[in-house]
């Protein structure tokens, strides 16, 4: 059965454009005390925040896991390194964990610089 052209067009239009995936990579390694501190202070709440819903966290161990299939601006040298990714490309980076208060401010600046609206993940 063939659908009339207008029904096909309506179906395609209702699906809408493909949404570019935005997420935050955390590059970590075993024994990293700053990774452990971030895990204790931020990890439990991150997914519940507007930032965490806009850019869900993905992790990778820099020694054990393959480098993610993402276009990074440069190699990761320090852990933790937080890499904001949009549409498969790095758009922001935080090297190290400066503590809870500074982390949120730096992450906010990364979103702003990349023109990503926090909380608008529709």
């Amino acid at each position: 059965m063939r659908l009339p052209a207008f029904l096909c067009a309506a179906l395609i239009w209702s699906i809408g454009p493909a949404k570019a995936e935005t997420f935050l990579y955390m590059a970590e390694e075993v024994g990293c005390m700053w990774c452990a501190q971030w895990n204790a202070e931020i990890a439990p709440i991150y997914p519940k925040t507007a930032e965490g819903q806009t850019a869900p966290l993905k992790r990778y161990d820099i020694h054990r896991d393959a480098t993610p299939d993402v276009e990074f601006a440069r190699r990761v040298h320090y852990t933790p390194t937080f890499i904001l990714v949009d549409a498969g490309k790095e758009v922001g980076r935080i090297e190290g964990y400066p503590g809870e208060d500074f982390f949120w401010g730096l992450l906010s600046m990364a979103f702003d610089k990349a023109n990503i609206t926090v909380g608008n993940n529709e």
Side-chain angles (χ1 to χ4, degrees):
M1 180 173 134
R2 290 178 34 162
L3 291 175
F6 73 90
L7 282 177
C8 290
L11 180 62
I12 291 169
W13 179 81
S14 69
I15 294 171
K19 182 183 172 204
E21 187 176 13
T22 302
F23 53 89
L24 183 68
Y25 260 120
M26 178 182 179
E28 57 190 343
E29 64 185 322
V30 173
C32 169
M33 69 178 235
W34 297 109
C35 299
Q37 187 173 346
W38 188 90
N39 284 329
E41 295 176 355
I42 305 292
I45 61 172
Y46 184 78
K48 300 172 188 173
T49 65
E51 293 86 352
Q53 292 178 12
T54 301
L57 184 69
K58 293 185 179 187
R59 299 171 178 259
Y60 87 99
D61 185 296
I62 64 169
H63 300 297
R64 296 180 179 188
D65 300 330
T67 301
D69 188 22
V70 170
E71 188 178 319
F72 287 159
R74 62 189 181 282
R75 219 174 128 229
V76 173
H77 293 285
Y78 309 101
T79 58
T81 294
F82 301 91
I83 302 166
L84 184 60
V85 174
D86 189 46
K89 294 182 181 179
E90 176 180 336
V91 294
R93 181 179 288 222
I94 302 169
E95 291 179 317
Y97 176 57
E100 185 174 1
D101 293 335
F102 288 108
F103 174 79
W104 292 113
L106 292 170
L107 186 59
S108 178
M109 288 174 21
F111 279 111
D112 289 347
K113 184 178 175 187
N115 294 317
I116 297 171
T117 302
V118 175
N120 186 15
N121 55 352
E122 297 177 8

